[in-house]
Every structure is written in C-alpha cells, then in structure tokens.
Amino acid sequence: AQTVTQSQPEMSVQEAETVTLSCTYDTSESDYYLFWYKQPPSRQMILVIRQEAYKQQNATENRFSVNFQKAAKSFSLKISDSQLGDAAMYFCAPAGGTSYGKLTFGQGTILTVHP
Amino acid sequence: DTAVSQTPKYLVTQMGNDKSIKCEQNLGHDTMYWYKQDSKKFLKIMFSYNNKELIINETVPNRFSPKSPDKAHLNLHINSLELGDSAVYFCASSLNFYSYNEQFFGPGTRLTVL
C-alpha cells in the first residue's frame, strides 16, 4: 500500500516569486509514477505534472518542475514566477506498481498567491 | 467539448432517499473511477471499472453501487442516504488502468444530505 504525506497544510507566495510544495510518500514498489494535481476554487481537478520513478531526470512543465528524490521518497513541486491563477489546492499522488492506475492522494496544500 | 461530464453538479436530498449520479466520458478511455472528497478536501477512491469490469472496490458501504453500462458511462447509485454521505463525488477516466496514465476528472457533484 502507498501512503502520502503533504506536511504543509497552507503556503503563500507573492506574485512572480517561487514556491516549493513538499510531498513524501512510502511505497514498496519499484516501478511507479507520481503526479501533482491542482484543484482551484472551481473544484476542477487538473493535472500539473507527472514523474516516472525510473527516470532520474526531474520533470518540468513550463513554470512547474519537480525535485524527485527516489531514495528519500520525496517529490516536491516548484512553481516559478507564481501567478494569481496558481492559487489552488495542490495534491500529490503516487500510482503504479501493483496498484497500477489507483491514485493515492495526499492531504493537500492550499496555495495562496498575493498580488 | 466536455471530456468527462457529470450530472447533476449539485444534489440536495433528505436522509433515507435514494439518488444516482451519472458520468460520461468522450475520450475513448477504457477505465473510469469514482472518488469521494470529504469536507476536509481529502480525496479517496471508491470504485474503478476497466472495460466495464469492476477492478477496484474500496471499503465503501454497500449502499453505494456503481454500474457501467458501457465503457463511456459509469453511474453511482446511493441507497438510504445518510448525513455522512454529504461530500463532493468526482468521476474520472484514464486511457487504461494498467498503463499508469493521467486521469481526467469531471467537474464533481456536490451532494448534500439534510
């Protein structure tokens, strides 16, 4: 079974600044994927970025990047040049191994962006 | 073109009633899911169907019954509604359960039980 911990219930950042959201997980699987989803006030769940555990290179998607530390089981999300539209709840979720496509979500981190 | 749609978006009902939530995806995906998001925003999977076959059935009261008439549809029927069933229910789909693909979520159905 996979467990996920997001230790920051809330974070805030100034517009145009950089913020990092942390996520740690526990899994006995060797082949798995990690996802970050965001949920803005509209409550729509939107994929932000994904990382394959077998890849050493950290995933990036425009202003979003991850710091994946496999040995430490850490998967943090960095948001650069923060924008007002980044304000949302962010969820970390591993999947894969014998769980296949089953996502196990963390508790979420609420991100506030100040103008 | 909505990829994953749910109806209704809001549902208010009395304790003891029976209600259904419908979900449809037009992405051609094989796998569909139901998630429950509680008042603390915690998201937990309830059910998953792959090619109309039930493959995930988490610890959920048997008052909840999913039904997949075809690959594009997954409905959730809830009998004898209780106050604790109040939550947001999300439907999602992915290309194939065994390929670790991205899940696409519907807009959610906010269920309020009075």
Side-chain angles (χ1 to χ4, degrees), chain A residues 66-97:
Chain A
V66 300
N67 183 3
F68 175 48
Q69 304 285 333
K70 190 172 183 179
K73 295 181 181 171
S74 167
F75 182 57
S76 59
L77 175 70
K78 185 169 93 170
I79 306 173
S80 304
D81 185 25
S82 297
Q83 299 176 359
L84 295 177
D86 296 333
M89 189 140 188
Y90 286 80
F91 294 95
C92 170

Side-chain angles (χ1 to χ4, degrees), chain A residues 31-33 35 37 39 42-45 47 50 89 91 95-97 99-103 105-107, chain B residues 9-10 33 35 37 41-43 45 56 58 88 90 97-98 100-103 105-110:
Chain A
D31 179 23
Y32 55 91
Y33 284 61
F35 299 86
Y37 279 85
Q39 186 178 36
S42 66
R43 84 171 181 231
Q44 179 70 52
M45 294 288 289
L47 178 69
R50 78 180 237 170
M89 189 140 188
F91 294 95
S99 296
Y100 296 105
K102 177 182 168 184
L103 289 172
F105 286 95
Q107 308 94 318
Chain B
K9 287 202 171 68
Y10 298 92
Y33 310 80
Y35 288 88
Q37 186 173 42
K41 303 287 190 180
F42 184 64
L43 262 165
I45 191 164
I56 294 177
E58 293 290 288
V88 178
F90 285 96
F97 181 75
Y98 300 102
Y100 317 152
N101 302 116
E102 170 191 357
Q103 291 186 25
F105 284 78
T109 296
R110 180 177 293 280

Side-chain angles (χ1 to χ4, degrees), chain B residues 31-106:
Chain B
T31 309
M32 296 184 74
Y33 310 80
W34 277 114
Y35 288 88
K36 179 181 179 181
Q37 186 173 42
D38 63 22
S39 57
K40 293 192 166 108
K41 303 287 190 180
F42 184 64
L43 262 165
K44 191 169 179 354
I45 191 164
M46 300 171 69
F47 303 104
S48 179
Y49 274 77
N50 189 64
N51 278 319
K52 299 198 300 173
E53 180 189 352
L54 182 66
I55 53 171
I56 294 177
N57 186 355
E58 293 290 288
T59 310
V60 173
N62 58 15
R63 298 181 295 102
F64 289 78
S65 53
K67 195 161 285 186
S68 181
D70 56 56
K71 283 198 319 183
H73 296 85
L74 180 61
N75 304 323
L76 183 65
H77 188 75
I78 316 169
N79 289 329
S80 304
L81 278 154
E82 300 178 359
L83 293 176
D85 298 332
S86 294
V88 178
Y89 293 84
F90 285 96
C91 176
S93 74
S94 68
L95 192 60
N96 186 281
F97 181 75
Y98 300 102
S99 304
Y100 317 152
N101 302 116
E102 170 191 357
Q103 291 186 25
F104 292 81
F105 284 78

Side-chain angles (χ1 to χ4, degrees), chain A residues 9 26 56 70 85 88 111-113:
Chain A
D26 191 16
Q56 292 191 337
K70 190 172 183 179
L111 178 66
T112 303
V113 181

